[in-house]
Amino acid sequence: MNLQFAKYKEEGLTEITEWESENGKNKHTKEIISDWTKRDDHRHHAVDALTIACTKQGFIQRFNTLSSSKTRADMQFDIDSHSIAFKEKLSLLEKYIVSQQPISVNEVEKTVGNILISFKAGKKVTVKGTRKVGKRGNKRVVQTGIIVPRGSLSEESIYGKIKTIEERKPIKYLFENPHLILKPYIKELVENRLVQSENNSKNAIASLKKRPYLVRQGKDYTIKIRYLF
């Protein structure tokens, strides 16, 4: 984020954030980039690789046994041996991590700031082809230099809505999704019962035992559900 901060601030895309430490004793403020994520800068891959390269098996082992008194004593010994002055209050783990840095943060920022991002050209969208007619073993070329699409021309996403109808859904599903009922009079009955039950589907279903729906002759009460994909 520090590498991009000046550019974002110039565009007015920064904000002030506040937080507290030591149970509210200390208050801190810092200007940061709004909605920042490291994926906005592809150079984070270089920083990730450097982090992995600087990680030792011993670090992970000490993290896993941090509650051990021996581990904590060894970490404190390593911290004291480096004679580092900490300007703010840090935990033992944070002090240990700082003391084990083989490269300073400023050196990393300076080096990463000189990295130029390049993008490898992708696959060709089209290729030149020929059109042949005739049966196998007796084909002849009738057209050359045709522009043929190579692979899909768009992402695999929704191109439109497809309506499907499904029957025999449980009563509970109908009262929880009345907007999907296809037949207007069935939908109206269900919605009215929900209104009477203060939009509580559980109470509406329970009321059917005392006040069931009466099927009128000539009416098809097969409930169908409409789906849009």
Side-chain angles (χ1 to χ4, degrees):
M1 181 171 68
N2 293 346
L3 298 175
Q4 299 284 5
F5 185 80
K7 298 177 182 178
Y8 278 78
K9 185 174 183 178
E10 185 177 350
E11 297 296 328
L13 300 175
T14 60
E15 60 183 23
I16 302 296
T17 182
E18 299 179 356
W19 74 94
E20 298 179 349
S21 62
E22 297 186 38
N23 297 322
K25 293 182 180 180
N26 298 325
K27 293 185 178 181
H28 311 270
T29 59
K30 184 179 181 181
E31 188 174 7
I32 62 173
I33 299 174
S34 302
D35 301 322
W36 170 258
T37 169
K38 71 173 186 178
R39 298 190 180 280
D40 292 339
D41 190 335
H42 292 285
R43 290 175 293 186
H44 80 270
H45 293 293
V47 178
D48 291 344
L50 179 61
T51 302
I52 295 172
C54 294
T55 302
K56 299 179 181 178
Q57 181 65 33
F59 296 166
I60 299 174
Q61 184 175 356
R62 287 190 171 181
F63 295 163
N64 291 334
T65 59
L66 189 60
S67 58
S68 168
S69 57
K70 183 180 184 307
T71 297
R72 300 182 69 85
D74 291 342
M75 291 172 67
Q76 187 62 56
F77 178 80
D78 289 340
I79 294 170
D80 295 339
S81 63
H82 283 82
S83 302
I84 299 175
F86 299 98
K87 296 181 180 180
E88 56 183 317
K89 188 174 181 180
L90 301 175
S91 66
L92 177 64
L93 178 60
E94 290 171 329
K95 290 180 180 179
Y96 177 73
I97 293 173
V98 173
S99 69
Q100 298 300 312
Q101 288 180 342
I103 308 171
S104 68
V105 174
N106 291 334
E107 288 181 274
V108 175
E109 287 187 0
K110 183 178 179 180
T111 304
V112 174
N114 293 326
I115 296 176
L116 297 177
I117 304 298
S118 63
F119 296 92
K120 182 180 179 181
K123 297 179 180 179
K124 293 181 179 179
V125 178
T126 60
V127 294
K128 290 186 177 181
T130 58
R131 186 168 72 92
K132 299 179 181 179
V133 297
K135 296 181 179 180
R136 182 179 300 178
N138 190 27
K139 291 186 177 181
R140 57 189 179 87
V141 178
V142 296
Q143 194 174 2
T144 60
I146 302 174
I147 303 299
V148 181
R150 190 172 185 269
S152 57
L153 297 179
S154 59
E155 294 182 358
E156 295 180 357
S157 56
I158 298 176
Y159 292 96
K161 293 183 177 181
I162 303 173
K163 184 173 74 173
T164 63
I165 296 177
E166 184 176 342
E167 300 181 12
R168 297 181 180 178
K169 299 297 287 187
I171 293 296
K172 181 181 178 181
Y173 184 89
L174 300 177
F175 276 87
E176 290 178 349
N177 304 276
H179 61 285
L180 295 177
I181 299 177
L182 183 62
K183 295 181 179 179
Y185 48 91
I186 298 293
K187 181 179 180 181
E188 183 180 357
L189 288 173
V190 173
E191 289 179 340
N192 288 341
R193 186 60 62 92
L194 283 170
V195 171
Q196 295 169 10
S197 303
E198 299 181 349
N199 290 323
N200 188 312
S201 59
K202 186 176 180 180
N203 293 340
I205 295 171
S207 69
L208 293 176
K209 294 181 180 180
K210 296 181 179 180
R211 294 180 291 119
Y213 290 129
L214 299 178
V215 180
R216 290 176 289 176
Q217 189 175 5
K219 281 285 188 180
D220 178 11
Y221 271 76
T222 301
I223 300 179
K224 297 181 179 180
I225 300 297
R226 170 175 37 212
Y227 287 95
L228 290 178
F229 296 100

